[in-house]
């Protein structure tokens, strides 16, 4: 392998690694706050990318009806809960937030010149129709069992993943899609050409990570999430709603997922089921961080990206095997250094 | 009609129907039921792993693949007989599951499922890419299984093979669960308690993981010889997750739940794959959406799955209400009365900056009751945890029966003859009182899970249960032997904890607030029991808040406050000690 190829592979690895890092951060966040191992994270990647592709081609966002339907379902569940608590005053707000807004968005999008409007606006529209699926899924699937064991939450998580993949096939079809890059072309750097999209991905990933850090350090919601991650009961006693924290971090996870999809769709063809493997590689990164440390998770993800890229050169058939068996030594190390097994007998 | 709705009739009817199906049913039905049997075998392994052991695996399909590919490769490329490849497949599965188990089973619960996802994906790609295994097109021309010279070539013949295997697996699993080993497995989730009873929880996790893997491997072997062809698709992660859905939907804690779940999922899938695209007017994987939804609804509404709900329709046969008398278990020699059993020397326990115990000293002798009292938060339970190895001391020395134990885990300490109860009751609520108590006698039995699966443990089992019943009777719980532990009031559950501790035939008994929640007469009975044990030479260390109870019973009392030694002496002296009065009642000067 000459240095040009090595650099090309490195560029590839770092690009993918940056995406995995974003996903790993979202996974760590969701796990720390809600104890949900969020397998469907990757579906948001695919939904984001494929919605963007549809809009870019001038079609209506395919997940429009899903968002409206889930909104109605959430409204029903919330309304029943409000009536049980005798809080009728909450009803109008429940309907406005969950039904009126999605319907309004669905109506308005019909009047937008989807194909001809600017790229940035297309991104915004795609996000508007994918990101709300995050809190909606939390409300419907996870909130009713928020106190259950990690394992039960994990099985729910896998069930949601199945549903989202199945629906993804219906919405987006079996054909893959690519979208045009944010900026065409690239520039020469030594022996290789760096694509502008790579710069966008690494730059935006860096910015998003920094923004998340600022959010957690300085905003009241960020602090609330951190408090919930450390001690759920304690946080609740301080007036932080666990439900709100859950919805908030699912919103962030959906946002990070969907945006990652839009970032990566110009350089890889995305299919309705691509998200799963992409998300799992984020997981491998997160596991390297022991599911708790953000910087380690990010570093692990870049490692996953590089390993994937170089093994696709040397042994492309075994690329996935190599990437996924990477967690074996990591788990082995953690297994040998962990003394206490966290069992859930007091739950 | 209702008279015939007993489990025995229901089971007989089911078996007769099962045996008769191939005689009248069409080939499609037979094929479906064959697949149900194959899936149920895998789901049965997951019942053990998930429902009983609290561990989750998404990678069972990969073990199915090991079994299938082992036989496909060895029969077609090396001409081995299918029976030989069955053994080879199981050997490979044992090695792989041991390796994987070693890596993941020591970690907290969620690393195992993540590890199995990774391993499920890796193995799938490996099957698809290794040229010797036929790549993605797979291997065909697998020979049929021969049994007593008869070739089991068609679906109908294989039907009996599959279901005989499944029923044998169900019977042996049920046998295993109804034994000393099974009780330990059913308590794995309460790890602290289980270890304190001398049970090696890691070993049992490993055993469950291996059994589940073997069931999957055998299912794969059957599958390969039914299809006579294998390719990687059925062994990918998707089917692995489906197996878990089967176990969860059916009822992850019951063996028949596996059969129910496998039937429902396999059959529904077949129907929905046909029906849904017609209904919706588009092609797609709609059945997975329905399965996802069903799973979520079941987990929201009935976490134990559908089987327990179904069982409410059929009146349960009363459990065997009688115990066969058995020879008592051998007892250990107790140390001479008055000799030192336990010495705690300068023990300090810190949690970060918090000093929960500071330089504590105490000695407990055989045949005495030593009480540890003090206000809430004084560090009594922490000291208990140091002594019993549940939460090891930071500094200091602890001697038990002349041996240093401050570095030992609770399991090793239990083996030396220490047994304890917990302040927060740790019983398996779904097991009977008798079974819960028998957990304490775990170290007094030796038959392993294979022996219990084949019922070679019955003599020992009778003796263990007899011992448990005997201890429960001593504790005044003779009438509750067959009630589930969760149905008793909390005070009585504490007494079950004492009986469980007594079942281990202890030298030293550690009781954490045994009298809390008991009524007056029950307290008196408990005091009489402890007095009797003292007379037999057992050493008892007691944490208790009820002063009447302590002062009337204890030989010596140690008072703790803020993690420190405040006073020690005879009950009489303690009752008049001004420092103790101040600690409890507050100073007069304030």
């Amino acid at each position: 392998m000459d240095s040009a190829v090595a650099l090309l592979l490195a560029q590839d690895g770092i690009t993918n690694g940056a995406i995995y890092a974003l996903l790993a951060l979202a996974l760590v966040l969701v796990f720390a706050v809600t104890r949900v191992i969020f397998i469907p994270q990757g579906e948001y990647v695919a939904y984001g990318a494929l919605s963007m592709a549809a809009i870019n081609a001038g079609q209506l966002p395919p997940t429009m009806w899903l968002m409206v339907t889930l909104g109605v379902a959430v409204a029903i569940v919330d309304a029943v809960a409000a009536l049980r608590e005798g809080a009728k005053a909450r009803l109008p707000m429940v309907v406005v937030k969950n039904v009126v807004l999605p319907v309004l968005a669905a109506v308005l999008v019909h009047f937008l010149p989807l194909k001809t409007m600017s790229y940035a606006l297309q991104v915004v529209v795609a996000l508007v129709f994918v990101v709300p699926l995050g809190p909606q899924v939390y409300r419907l699937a996870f909130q009713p069992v928020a106190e259950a064991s990690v394992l039960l939450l994990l099985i729910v998580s896998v069930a949601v993943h199945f549903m989202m993949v199945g629906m993804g096939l219906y919405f987006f079809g079996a054909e893959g899609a690519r979208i045009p890059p944010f900026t065409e072309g690239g520039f020469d750097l030594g022996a290789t050409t760096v694509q502008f999209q790579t710069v966008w991905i690494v730059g935006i990933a860096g910015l998003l990570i920094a923004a998340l850090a600022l959010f957690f350090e300085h905003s009241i919601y960020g602090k609330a999430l951190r408090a919930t991650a450390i001690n759920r009961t304690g946080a609740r006693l301080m007036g932080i709603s666990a439900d709100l924290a859950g919805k908030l971090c699912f919103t962030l996870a959906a946002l990070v997922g969907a945006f990652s999809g839009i970032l990566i769709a110009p350089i890889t063809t995305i299919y309705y089921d691509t998200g799963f493997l992409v998300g799992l590689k984020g997981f491998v990164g997160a596991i390297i961080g022991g599911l708790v440390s953000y910087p380690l998770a990010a570093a692990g993800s870049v490692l996953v990206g590089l390993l994937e890229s170089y093994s696709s050169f040397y042994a492309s058939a075994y690329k996935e095997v190599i990437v996924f068996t990477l967690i074996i030594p990591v788990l082995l190390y953690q297994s040998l250094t962990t003394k206490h097994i966290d069992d859930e007998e007091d739950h | 009609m209702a008279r015939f709705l007993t489990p025995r009739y229901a089971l007989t009817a089911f078996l007769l129907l099962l045996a008769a199906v191939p005689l009248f049913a069409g080939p499609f039905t037979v094929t479906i039921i064959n697949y149900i049997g194959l899936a149920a075998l895998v789901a049965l392994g997951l019942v053990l792993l998930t429902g009983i052991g609290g561990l989750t695996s998404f990678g069972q399909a990969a073990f199915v693949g090991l079994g299938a590919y082992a036989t496909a490769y060895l029969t077609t490329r090396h001409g081995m007989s299918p029976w030989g490849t069955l053994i080879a497949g199981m050997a490979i599965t044992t090695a792989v599951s041991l390796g994987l188990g070693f890596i993941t089973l020591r970690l907290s619960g969620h690393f195992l499922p993540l590890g199995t996802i990774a391993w499920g994906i890796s193995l799938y790609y490996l099957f698809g890419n290794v040229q010797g295994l036929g790549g993605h097109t797979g291997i065909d021309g697998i020979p049929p299984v021969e049994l007593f010279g008869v070739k089991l070539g068609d679906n109908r013949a294989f039907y009996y093979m599959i279901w005989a295997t499944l029923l044998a697996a169900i019977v042996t699993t049920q046998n295993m669960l109804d034994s000393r080993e099974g009780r330990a497995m059913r308590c794995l989730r309460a790890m602290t308690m289980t270890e304190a009873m001398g049970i090696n929880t890691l070993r049992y996790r490993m055993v469950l993981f291996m059994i589940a893997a073997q069931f999957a491997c055998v299912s794969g072997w059957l599958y390969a010889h039914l299809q006579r062809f294998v390719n990687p698709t059925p062994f990918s992660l998707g089917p692995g997750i489906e197996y878990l859905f089967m176990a969860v939907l059916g009822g992850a804690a019951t063996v028949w739940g596996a059969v129910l779940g496998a039937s429902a999922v396999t059959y529904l899938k077949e129907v929905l794959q046909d029906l849904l695209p017609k209904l919706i007017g588009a092609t797609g994987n709609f059945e997975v959406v329905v399965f996802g939804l069903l799973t979520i609804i079941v987990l929201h509404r009935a976490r134990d799955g559908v089987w327990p709900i179904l069982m409410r329709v059929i009146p349960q046969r009363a459990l065997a209400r009688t115990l066969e008398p058995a020879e008592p278990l051998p007892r250990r020699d107790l140390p001479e009365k008055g000799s030192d059993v336990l010495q705690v020397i300068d023990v300090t326990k810190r949690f970060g900056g918090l000093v929960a115990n500071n330089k504590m000293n105490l000695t407990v002798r055989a045949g005495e009751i030593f009480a540890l009292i003090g206000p809430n938060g004084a560090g009594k339970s922490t000291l208990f945890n140091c002594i019993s190895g549940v939460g090891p001391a930071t500094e200091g020395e602890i001697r038990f029966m002349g041996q240093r134990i401050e570095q030992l885990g609770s399991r090793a300490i239990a083996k030396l003859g220490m047994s304890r109860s917990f302040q927060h009751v740790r019983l398996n609520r779904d097991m009977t009182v008798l079974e819960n108590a028998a957990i304490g006698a775990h170290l007094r039995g030796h038959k392993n899970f294979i022996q219990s699966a084949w019922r070679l443990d019955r003599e020992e089992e009778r003796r263990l249960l007899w011992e448990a019943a005997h201890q429960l009777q001593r504790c005044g719980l003779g009438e509750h032997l067959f009630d589930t532990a969760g149905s008793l009031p909390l005070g009585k559950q504490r007494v079950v904890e004492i009986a469980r501790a007594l079942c281990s035939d202890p030298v030293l008994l550690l009781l954490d607030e045994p009298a809390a929640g008991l009524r007056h007469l029950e307290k008196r009975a408990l005091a009489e029991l402890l007095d009797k044990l003292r007379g037999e030479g057992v050493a008892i260390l007691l944490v208790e808040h009820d002063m009447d109870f302590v002062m009337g019973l204890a030989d010596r009392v140690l008072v703790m406050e803020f993690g420190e030694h405040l006073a020690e002496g005879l009950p009489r002296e303690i009752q008049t000690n001004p420092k103790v009065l101040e600690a409890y009642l507050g100073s007069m000067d304030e």
Side-chain angles (χ1 to χ4, degrees):
Chain A
M1 170 170 31
D2 61 18
S3 62
V5 176
L7 281 174
L8 195 69
L9 291 176
Q11 179 187 337
D12 226 36
I14 289 170
T15 315
N16 286 326
I19 296 291
Y20 300 150
L22 275 177
L23 297 177
L25 294 189
L27 290 165
V28 172
L29 168 71
V30 170
F31 180 72
V33 175
T34 64
R35 299 175 303 122
V36 172
I37 294 179
F38 196 42
I39 306 283
Q41 177 72 58
E43 272 61 72
Y44 288 91
V45 176
Y47 276 37
L50 295 169
S51 292
M52 177 64 192
I55 292 165
N56 194 258
Q59 297 158 10
L60 287 170
T63 53
M64 190 171 70
W65 290 113
L66 179 63
M67 188 179 80
V68 172
T69 313
L70 290 185
V72 172
V74 171
I76 292 171
V77 175
D78 273 349
V80 169
L83 286 178
R84 268 200 200 133
E85 291 167 27
K88 274 190 188 158
R90 285 213 316 255
L91 288 180
M93 199 56 204
V94 163
V95 175
V96 168
K97 260 195 344 201
N98 296 305
V99 182
V100 177
L101 283 184
V103 170
L104 208 60
V107 171
L108 284 181
V109 78
H110 283 78
F111 298 102
L112 286 175
L114 291 172
K115 200 177 169 73
T116 51
M117 66 190 190
S118 76
Y119 196 90
L121 266 178
Q122 291 176 344
V123 171
V124 171
V125 172
L127 292 179
V128 162
F129 286 89
V130 175
V131 175
L133 302 179
Q136 286 172 336
V137 161
Y138 179 77
R139 178 63 190 96
L140 294 171
F142 294 98
Q143 192 175 316
V145 286
E147 298 303 320
S149 66
V150 173
L151 293 181
L152 189 134
L153 291 171
L154 175 58
I155 297 171
V156 173
S157 186
V158 169
V160 171
H161 153 71
F162 262 54
M163 293 182 71
M164 285 187 72
V165 174
M167 288 190 287
L169 177 60
Y170 176 64
F171 291 136
F172 305 111
E175 297 291 311
R178 270 198 194 213
I179 57 176
F182 290 23
T183 317
E184 299 276 357
F187 60 89
D188 289 333
L189 183 81
T192 183
T193 308
V194 176
Q195 299 293 320
F196 285 128
Q197 187 68 20
T198 301
V199 181
W200 275 110
I201 290 178
V202 176
I204 290 180
L207 273 180
L208 270 178
I209 290 168
L212 282 176
L214 282 177
F215 171 75
F216 286 116
E217 282 303 319
H218 296 292
S219 78
I220 184 79
Y221 285 111
K223 285 178 185 170
L225 285 188
R226 273 166 62 208
T228 311
I230 293 165
N231 186 333
R232 294 166 64 78
T233 317
R236 191 182 301 159
L237 290 174
M238 294 297 109
I240 298 168
S241 153
D243 295 342
L244 179 69
K247 272 184 210 159
L248 189 57
C249 69
F250 269 67
T251 310
L252 282 175
L255 177 66
V256 167
F259 201 71
S260 303
I262 294 171
L263 280 175
I264 198 151
I267 53 172
T268 324
T269 307
I270 302 285
Y271 298 85
Y272 75 100
D273 60 352
T274 306
F276 184 52
L277 277 186
V278 177
L280 277 184
K281 284 170 194 164
F283 249 118
V284 176
I287 289 176
I288 294 176
L291 279 183
V292 286
S293 156
Y294 293 99
L296 271 182
S301 305
V302 176
L303 178 69
V304 171
L306 287 173
L307 190 70
E308 184 187 13
S309 140
Y310 283 101
S311 55
S312 69
F313 181 80
Y314 284 112
S316 73
Y318 297 100
K319 183 178 87 170
E320 312 292 356
V321 181
I322 293 172
V323 168
F324 285 107
T325 41
L326 175 68
I327 74 163
I328 300 279
V330 175
L331 289 179
L332 181 65
Y333 171 77
Q334 280 172 347
S335 156
L336 293 176
T337 50
T338 312
K339 279 197 175 150
H340 179 70
I341 298 184
D342 147 53
D343 61 347
E344 299 196 22
E345 58 196 275
D346 290 328
H347 273 273
Chain B
M1 181 64 209
R3 216 150 38 91
F4 296 102
L5 261 178
T6 65
R8 180 164 302 181
Y9 282 117
L11 184 63
T12 313
F14 173 71
L15 290 179
L16 285 175
L17 186 67
L18 200 61
V21 162
L23 305 180
F24 61 80
F28 178 72
T29 312
V30 173
T31 306
I32 289 272
I33 299 179
N34 275 345
Y35 283 119
I36 290 174
L38 290 175
L41 188 56
V42 185
L44 181 65
L46 280 172
V47 161
L48 279 174
L49 198 62
T50 306
I52 306 295
L55 303 160
T56 303
S57 165
F58 293 109
Q60 294 310 101
F63 287 117
V64 180
L66 274 186
Y69 265 96
T71 191
Y73 179 75
L74 292 173
T75 50
T76 56
R77 304 287 197 274
H78 297 278
M80 272 175 78
S81 100
W83 299 107
T85 61
L86 176 62
I87 293 168
M90 290 176 81
I92 297 169
T93 304
T94 306
V96 172
S97 60
L98 269 179
L100 276 178
F102 177 76
I103 292 166
T104 47
L105 292 178
R106 295 157 57 106
L107 293 171
S108 46
H110 48 272
F111 281 102
L112 175 67
L114 290 180
T116 56
I117 287 179
W119 122 263
I121 292 180
S122 305
L123 205 77
Y124 166 71
Y125 280 104
L126 218 53
F127 286 144
N129 285 303
V130 174
Q131 282 315 308
L133 297 180
H136 282 282
T137 42
I139 301 175
D140 58 6
I142 300 167
V145 176
E146 264 183 60
L147 189 62
F148 306 119
V150 184
K151 277 202 169 96
L152 301 178
D154 73 336
N155 277 355
R156 275 173 216 277
F158 219 72
Y159 175 95
Y160 291 104
M161 174 93 178
I162 290 174
W163 280 86
T165 311
L166 176 64
L167 291 174
I170 288 176
V171 170
T172 48
T173 302
Q174 272 179 330
N175 286 349
M176 183 182 74
L177 288 177
D178 174 33
S179 74
R180 163 181 168 273
E181 296 273 275
R183 283 188 293 273
M185 291 168 180
R186 283 146 79 191
C187 289
L188 279 183
R189 275 186 252 204
M191 210 187 84
T192 311
M193 179 280 286
T194 316
E195 286 275 324
M197 294 301 129
I199 295 169
N200 183 344
T201 51
L202 182 60
R203 172 178 174 262
Y204 284 97
R205 285 162 192 255
M206 203 73 114
V207 167
L208 286 178
F209 189 56
M210 275 177 54
I211 296 175
Q214 296 299 358
F215 283 173
C217 164
V218 172
S219 172
W221 179 83
L222 288 167
Y223 172 86
H225 290 287
L226 172 69
Q227 289 281 30
R228 316 273 290 280
F229 158 76
V230 294
N231 73 349
T233 317
F235 315 124
S236 62
L237 190 58
I241 295 172
E242 251 166 46
Y243 289 128
L244 188 67
F245 281 177
M246 290 174 192
V248 170
L249 286 174
T254 53
V255 289
W256 290 103
V259 181
L260 178 69
S263 312
V265 171
T266 311
Y267 183 71
L268 270 180
K269 194 173 155 183
E270 208 55 52
V271 174
L272 293 178
Q273 258 171 355
D274 241 24
L275 187 69
L276 287 178
K278 281 183 206 149
L279 278 181
I280 297 167
T283 51
N285 279 336
F286 300 112
E287 73 279 359
V288 296
V289 180
V290 175
F291 282 134
L293 193 62
L294 273 180
T295 308
I296 293 173
I297 292 172
V298 167
L299 288 175
H300 282 193
R301 303 280 159 190
R303 287 188 197 177
D304 298 330
V306 179
W307 181 258
I309 298 173
L310 208 64
M311 276 303 93
R312 277 181 227 147
V313 182
I314 301 178
Q316 287 301 291
R317 170 181 44 157
L319 287 160
R321 292 268 169 203
T322 49
L323 275 178
E324 289 172 54
E327 206 180 316
L329 293 165
R331 298 199 54 184
R332 72 174 99 224
D333 296 325
L334 289 177
E336 201 182 323
K337 272 191 200 175
S339 61
D340 291 353
V341 173
L342 176 78
Q343 289 160 292
V344 172
I345 304 155
D346 287 340
V347 162
T348 296
K349 172 76 179 179
R350 288 191 202 95
F351 295 104
L354 179 81
V355 184
N357 289 155
N358 191 15
K359 302 238 176 245
M360 288 300 302
N361 286 280
L362 63 87
T363 302
V364 184
R365 305 186 189 110
E368 78 165 352
I369 297 179
F370 188 99
L372 195 57
I373 66 170
N376 280 325
K380 305 179 297 286
S381 293
T382 306
L383 187 58
F384 254 46
N385 287 345
C386 291
I387 294 170
S388 59
V390 168
T394 320
E395 282 164 26
E397 187 181 326
I398 304 174
R399 287 178 175 276
F400 176 60
M401 305 288 286
Q403 207 174 326
R404 297 274 296 256
I405 59 163
E406 71 271 8
Q407 299 291 336
L408 297 181
S410 58
R411 192 170 72 229
I413 294 174
K415 281 195 182 127
L416 294 174
M418 191 191 297
S419 198
R420 65 168 293 175
S421 71
F422 289 89
Q423 188 186 357
H424 299 288
V425 172
R426 294 185 184 193
L427 299 174
N428 182 324
R429 299 175 57 84
D430 301 326
M431 289 188 353
T432 63
V433 168
L434 182 71
E435 289 173 309
N436 266 291
I439 289 280
H442 186 85
L443 288 175
R444 300 171 78 182
H446 305 283
K447 299 283 191 224
N448 65 28
F449 64 98
I450 296 170
Q451 289 165 312
S452 53
W454 296 103
R455 287 287 190 222
L456 301 173
D457 63 335
R458 289 297 100 180
E459 174 59 24
E460 180 185 281
E461 176 73 2
R462 268 196 296 279
R463 293 177 73 183
L464 289 173
L465 290 181
W466 189 247
E467 170 74 13
H470 168 66
Q471 297 299 351
L472 283 164
Q473 259 144 10
R474 286 179 87 181
C475 295
L477 291 172
E479 58 190 276
H480 294 298
L481 296 186
F482 301 101
D483 297 341
T484 54
S487 70
L488 295 191
L490 200 59
K492 287 195 173 170
Q493 292 189 22
R494 284 176 186 287
V495 181
V496 178
E497 288 237 330
I498 300 172
R500 183 178 66 199
L502 286 176
C503 282
S504 70
D505 186 25
V507 176
L508 171 66
L509 195 56
L510 266 56
L511 300 178
D512 203 344
E513 301 197 19
L518 292 188
R519 285 174 300 187
H520 182 67
L521 284 177
E522 292 167 341
K523 277 188 193 171
R524 211 159 69 190
L526 177 62
E528 278 166 22
L529 171 68
L530 297 185
D531 185 48
K532 191 153 172 267
L533 289 170
R534 163 168 60 189
E536 289 169 16
V538 177
I540 300 172
L541 177 59
L542 185 76
V543 163
E544 187 49 69
H545 277 297
D546 183 327
M547 284 306 136
D548 289 340
F549 184 82
V550 169
M551 295 305 173
L553 186 65
D555 296 293
R556 287 185 299 139
V557 179
L558 187 149
V559 189
M560 285 180 77
E561 191 188 24
F562 303 125
E564 307 212 356
H565 178 281
L566 186 71
E568 186 178 346
L570 302 175
R572 205 166 1 94
E573 299 163 4
I574 294 296
Q575 276 168 314
T576 53
N577 185 319
K579 279 202 286 185
V580 176
L581 290 177
E582 194 185 310
Y584 270 91
L585 301 173
S587 157
M588 289 301 179
D589 305 335
E590 278 181 84

